[in-house]
Amino acid sequence: MDYGNNPHDLLGEGQGLNQIRDLLMVSRDCNNFRIAAQQRRPGVASKKGRTNMRAMRAEQFTGYEALKLVDLSKPAVTDGKVLVRITAAGVTPLDHTILSGQFHTTKVPLILGNEGAGVVEQGGGTDFPVGSRVMFWGIYGAFEDGAYSEWIAVRKEDLCLIPDAVDDLSAAGIPVAYLTAQVALTLAGFRPGKTVLAPAIGGSVGNAVTQLARSLGAKHAISSTTNHAKAEQAKTLGFNEVIDTSLEKLADGVRRVTQGYGADIVIDGIGGEVLSEALKALAPGGSLITLGYSASRKTTIDVTDLIRPQTSIQGFNMFSQPQATVIDAWKAIVSLLQSGAVKPIVAKTFPLAEAADALRYLVEGRPLGRVILTI
């Protein structure tokens, strides 16, 4: 029997009309559900065509409570800058220093965030085509608005393409730590066979220096922790030369690992008593580079720890490094990332709106690995 294409022939006139109406309603509802789902997905329809953005901004430099979620206009793209839709932002001790009023910046309000990862949307040219995945760092979050936001206008020289094997969460925590570590090692005269000490295996710079030194052929790549559980955790992650300073002094541990020799190079981002103890761990003619003060800005040293072994101490500021030095460092880092020789560690992620909790966790929880905001 041939029923043709008329639904009335199958269901009767009333039933056919009702069935068609029901099907149309189901189709409409499914389409509405699809659109709503897209709008809830980060980076999809919800952000296309928008002129505003969310950001976590420090309204004052008075502590965690001063960090507020605000709605702002998207940044304008001017000559030399690239519009990046941020997917993840690194949380650093510098962010806490600024938020607590301990940094030499005077701009209020300020969007925090010194580094991040995202996707190029405009202005990248042939070097960074639209859709490219990039990571970035610079004076953002310190002297101008930073990465705790959905979009940012980044200077082209501050961008680096993310290797395919690296996800955005890992990439967001690479720039500051690994650039600082690589440039500091170069400045200290690192060569294969040298012994390197970088206190604080859980910290961003301490971990990056340890991984880079090990992958570049250090005889010993030593780090430390004040926490026995973290020392054990570090071992499970492959860090076998970590001094547990709850059991022995830092200098004693370094002498033990090196059979009495000491460290040719110390890269210290902790300051305070750690710096003075690390100075005692230097081998004859060794050098210590100080670049951070997460423990304290002040310390007391015994000058004979410098005089007798003819060692040296030098300050380091990543913001002051020449662009050519940064480019060379990026090349070395990307090569090691591509080969898998270094693997950034992410300890925990937080959504953008919980940036204050992320900072608190970094500073008070002291995790082994990076804290990242997902955006």
Side-chain angles (χ1 to χ4, degrees):
M1 183 180 296
D2 183 7
Y3 293 107
N5 295 320
N6 190 344
H8 298 185
D9 294 334
L10 285 170
L11 302 173
E13 184 173 351
Q15 287 180 310
L17 291 173
N18 290 337
Q19 183 71 13
I20 291 171
R21 182 190 64 196
D22 291 344
L23 288 171
L24 288 172
M25 291 179 66
V26 169
S27 176
R28 181 198 65 190
D29 291 343
C30 287
N31 188 56
N32 289 341
F33 178 80
R34 176 183 59 80
I35 293 172
Q38 282 184 326
Q39 291 175 339
R40 288 192 295 268
R41 289 170 55 197
V44 189
S46 61
K47 292 188 178 182
K48 289 183 178 179
R50 278 175 44 189
T51 59
N52 66 317
M53 69 174 187
R54 296 180 308 140
M56 287 299 288
R57 189 172 69 180
E59 302 300 312
Q60 299 291 333
F61 298 141
T62 55
Y64 302 120
E65 72 285 349
L67 202 55
K68 305 295 184 182
L69 183 65
V70 296
D71 193 76
L72 304 169
S73 297
K74 285 171 60 175
V77 178
T78 57
D79 290 344
K81 286 196 172 184
V82 179
L83 183 65
V84 175
R85 175 175 56 80
I86 302 176
T87 55
V91 179
T92 71
L94 176 61
D95 301 336
H96 180 262
T97 300
I98 294 169
L99 187 61
S100 58
Q102 301 298 311
F103 191 70
H104 51 280
T105 182
T106 56
K107 182 181 182 297
V108 176
L110 179 69
I111 300 172
L112 298 182
N114 195 214
E115 64 181 347
V119 179
V120 172
E121 287 201 347
Q122 184 182 344
T126 56
D127 294 331
F128 303 100
V130 171
S132 300
R133 295 170 59 239
V134 292
M135 48 189 169
F136 62 88
W137 86 288
I139 62 173
Y140 316 103
F143 302 102
E144 62 183 68
D145 284 336
Y148 287 17
S149 57
E150 292 182 300
W151 279 274
I152 188 171
V154 181
R155 294 170 187 80
K156 189 176 289 189
E157 61 266 26
D158 295 335
L159 291 170
C160 180
L161 294 171
I162 301 173
D164 290 340
V166 179
D167 61 66
D168 285 16
L169 293 178
S170 298
I174 289 172
V176 171
Y178 279 84
L179 283 174
T180 299
Q182 179 64 33
V183 175
L185 282 169
T186 301
L187 185 64
F190 175 83
R191 299 188 305 276
K194 293 280 190 179
T195 290
V196 176
L197 167 64
I201 191 62
S204 57
V205 172
N207 194 279
V209 171
T210 304
Q211 289 208 47
L212 287 172
R214 183 173 60 182
S215 65
L216 293 170
K219 182 176 182 179
H220 297 284
I222 306 170
S223 190
S224 67
T225 179
T226 60
N227 184 295
H228 183 67
K230 193 180 292 184
E232 293 301 312
Q233 181 187 4
K235 286 182 182 178
T236 65
L237 294 172
F239 300 101
N240 298 316
E241 296 181 322
V242 175
I243 310 302
D244 182 353
T245 58
S246 69
L247 301 177
E248 61 182 335
K249 289 184 177 182
L250 179 60
D252 291 342
V254 172
R255 302 289 177 189
R256 173 179 54 78
V257 170
T258 62
Q259 290 79 51
Y261 177 75
D264 297 300
I265 296 169
V266 174
I267 310 294
D268 175 53
I270 308 302
E273 293 183 5
V274 173
L275 187 151
S276 59
E277 185 68 17
L279 198 61
K280 300 177 187 295
L282 281 172
S287 62
L288 183 150
I289 290 184
T290 175
L291 49 80
Y293 42 85
S294 59
S296 176
R297 296 170 182 239
K298 297 182 179 181
T299 189
T300 300
I301 66 172
D302 183 339
V303 295
T304 62
D305 291 332
L306 291 167
I307 296 169
R308 280 198 301 262
Q310 298 186 85
T311 56
S312 62
I313 184 169
Q314 179 177 353
F316 175 89
N317 183 350
M318 189 61 205
F319 288 135
S320 300
Q321 301 308 306
Q323 185 61 29
T325 299
V326 176
I327 291 172
D328 288 343
W330 267 133
K331 290 177 181 177
I333 294 163
V334 168
S335 176
L336 293 170
L337 288 168
Q338 289 172 329
S339 69
V342 297
K343 297 179 179 179
I345 300 170
V346 175
K348 192 172 183 178
T349 64
F350 290 80
L352 176 63
E354 296 177 15
D357 292 334
L359 267 174
R360 191 187 302 273
Y361 176 70
L362 174 70
V363 174
E364 300 176 14
R366 300 174 64 187
L368 197 165
R370 297 305 310 275
V371 178
I372 304 294
L373 295 180
T374 56
I375 301 174

